[in-house]
Amino acid sequence: MPAHSDDAAVGPRVWHYDGASALRRDAVLADDGATFRLVERDRETGPFAWEALIANDADAVATSYGLKRMGGWRIGFVDTPSPGIAAKLPGRPRYGRWVDRIGLAPASIAFAAVAALAVTIVLRTPAAVARLVPASVEKRMGDLMVGDFGRKGCDDPAGQAALATMLRRIAPEDRALDVHVVRLKMVNAVTLPGGRIVIFDGLLKAAKSPDEVAGVVGHELGHVRNRDVTEALIRQVGLSVLLGGMDSNVGGYTNALLATAYSRKAEVNADRAAIAMMRRAVVSPVPTAHFFRRLGGGAGQAERLFAYVNTHPVSADRARNFEASAGKGVTYRPTLDAQQWAALRNICRNTPEQQGWRF
C-alpha cells in the first residue's frame, strides 16, 4: 500500500491494533463513504466496511470497536468523531440488553413463561419418547437388569408352578410375560423393561393371601402395558441409557429405577389395569385394598414396607378404588388354593439368603 503523510487524510485520530502484533499504532480514520481507511505516517490499511465494525465494551479511555472475522483487531477514538462518522458507528451493547429495553417486570414474566414451558416439555417428553423406543431395546435393557439380581432367582419347582398358575389366571393373554422371584427381605416388586417383573420374597412373606399378590402382580403388569418403566428410566437417567452405553453401568440404572416413584397418573392407570384383570379372572380385589392399607399405615412395618411405598406411592384412595370395584353378589375364587399358596410363599426355600445383589 502507498505511504501517506500526516495531512494526506482528514479525520479523527484513532489508536489501532491490527491483530497481528501487540504494537499499538496511531492513525487517522479516513471516511470514504461506505468504507474507511486507517492512514498512518508510513502506511495505510483498509478499506474496511463500516458495517463490519463491532462495538466493544467501554475502554478505559474511549469506546473501542472490533472487526468481524478479525480477532484482536481494534480501534479506539482519540478525537471525538464527527456526527457523520458517529452515525455510521455501531451502537454499544447495553448492560442487560433486552432486559434493560423491556424492563425487569416484563423480563421476569418472560423468564417465568419460558421456565414453565421447559418444565412442561421435560414432564411430557419422556411419555412421548417411551412409546418410540423399540421393543428390542426394551428387551435388552430388561435382560441386563435381570442380570443385576445375579440371576439367582428362587426356583423351587412347586413355587414356580404356583406362580405360573397365578399368571395364567390373571393374565392369560400375556404369554411373553416374564416374572421372577428373588430372595430379598424388602417388601417390593419392580417392573423392568421388556415385560419383566421381579417380586421380592419379602413381599410374599408380608402378603396374607395369594389374592394380595395377584393384585400387586396385576398392578406391575399395568406398568408393563403402559410402558411406564421406560418413561421413568428416560426421565430419571436420560435417553442415553436406552440408546447407548447400556453395558457400562447397568447396576446404576437398576438402582435409579428402584429409586424412581411413578407418577400419580401412572399409578392410577396401573391400578385400573389390575382391577380389570382381576374382574375378568373373578379374583376379589378386596385383599389388595387391605394390602395397600397396611402399606400406608402400619408403623411397626414401616422399615420393611418403605421400599414399596417409595417406588409405589400408596394412598387411601387407591385402597378405596380396589374395594369399590368389588362386585356385589359375585362369587370370587381364590387365585391359588392353600397348597399352591404355601408353595409360592416357600419358592425361595432352596435359594441362599441375599441381603442385596452385586453389580
Side-chain angles (χ1 to χ4, degrees):
M1 293 183 182
H4 289 259
S5 62
D6 287 340
D7 60 351
V10 177
R13 292 177 301 160
V14 296
W15 52 261
H16 169 53
Y17 290 95
D18 61 11
S21 70
L23 180 64
R24 172 170 168 154
R25 297 178 175 276
D26 295 320
V28 174
L29 187 147
D31 182 8
D32 297 328
T35 62
F36 66 91
R37 292 169 288 115
L38 297 179
V39 180
E40 302 176 33
R41 180 182 298 275
D42 57 349
R43 72 174 190 168
E44 174 185 309
T45 56
F48 306 105
W50 286 105
E51 63 182 16
L53 283 178
I54 305 170
N56 298 322
D57 293 334
D59 187 77
V61 177
T63 300
S64 64
Y65 299 87
L67 200 63
K68 294 178 182 177
R69 296 182 294 278
M70 289 189 67
W73 191 99
R74 282 200 307 161
I75 62 169
F77 285 87
V78 178
D79 295 334
T80 301
S82 66
I85 291 178
K88 299 176 183 180
L89 296 173
R92 287 177 52 195
R94 300 176 60 189
Y95 179 76
R97 299 190 179 182
W98 66 273
V99 175
D100 282 345
R101 289 197 292 273
I102 69 174
L104 180 59
S108 299
I109 295 174
F111 277 124
V114 171
L117 178 62
V119 170
T120 300
I121 291 174
V122 168
L123 291 178
R124 293 184 178 273
T125 296
V129 174
R131 282 144 185 80
L132 300 177
V133 176
S136 59
V137 174
E138 279 194 313
K139 185 177 184 305
R140 185 182 174 203
M141 284 293 296
D143 290 343
L144 292 170
M145 287 184 174
V146 167
D148 276 354
F149 292 94
R151 298 193 183 277
K152 296 179 180 178
C154 304
D155 56 3
D156 177 74
Q160 290 277 22
L163 180 60
T165 299
M166 175 179 289
L167 296 177
R168 285 195 300 270
R169 178 80 182 279
I170 63 173
E173 69 279 13
D174 287 286
R175 297 185 181 274
L177 189 63
D178 189 0
V179 181
H180 292 266
V181 178
V182 295
R183 186 166 186 174
L184 291 169
K185 290 183 176 181
M186 288 186 292
V187 178
N188 209 348
V190 295
T191 304
L192 304 179
R196 301 183 184 278
I197 296 173
V198 177
I199 302 171
F200 293 1
D201 180 50
L203 187 144
L204 296 178
K205 300 302 184 186
K208 297 185 180 299
S209 74
D211 293 350
E212 292 186 358
V213 177
V216 172
V217 172
H219 176 91
E220 297 301 327
L221 182 53
H223 285 310
V224 171
R225 292 177 176 177
N226 297 329
R227 305 190 79 174
D228 294 329
V229 61
T230 305
E231 178 182 343
L233 279 172
I234 292 172
R235 180 177 290 112
Q236 181 75 10
V237 293
L239 190 58
S240 60
V241 173
L242 297 173
L243 302 183
M246 293 192 295
D247 294 328
S248 61
N249 189 15
V250 180
Y253 302 152
T254 305
N255 275 335
L257 179 60
L258 293 176
T260 300
Y262 294 113
S263 67
R264 182 177 297 273
K265 180 180 178 181
E267 291 296 329
V268 170
N269 288 338
D271 282 348
R272 288 173 178 169
I275 288 170
M277 288 179 226
M278 299 177 82
R279 182 181 295 117
R280 288 194 299 269
V282 199
V283 174
S284 175
V286 175
T288 306
H290 295 165
F291 180 71
F292 283 153
R293 283 205 172 93
R294 293 203 307 277
L295 289 177
Q301 294 182 314
E303 184 177 352
R304 296 182 63 218
L305 301 182
F306 176 76
Y308 192 91
V309 175
N310 186 49
T311 53
H312 303 73
V314 175
S315 69
D317 289 340
R318 293 184 62 196
R320 281 194 294 267
N321 289 339
F322 271 86
E323 206 160 43
S325 70
K328 294 182 179 180
V330 178
T331 301
Y332 290 111
R333 294 185 295 113
T335 314
L336 301 174
D337 60 30
Q339 185 177 357
Q340 291 170 324
W341 173 228
L344 180 58
R345 296 194 79 198
N346 290 294
I347 191 173
C348 296
R349 64 180 181 177
N350 298 323
T351 304
E353 184 173 347
Q354 303 174 73
Q355 299 300 324
W357 55 89
R358 295 181 179 179
F359 297 129

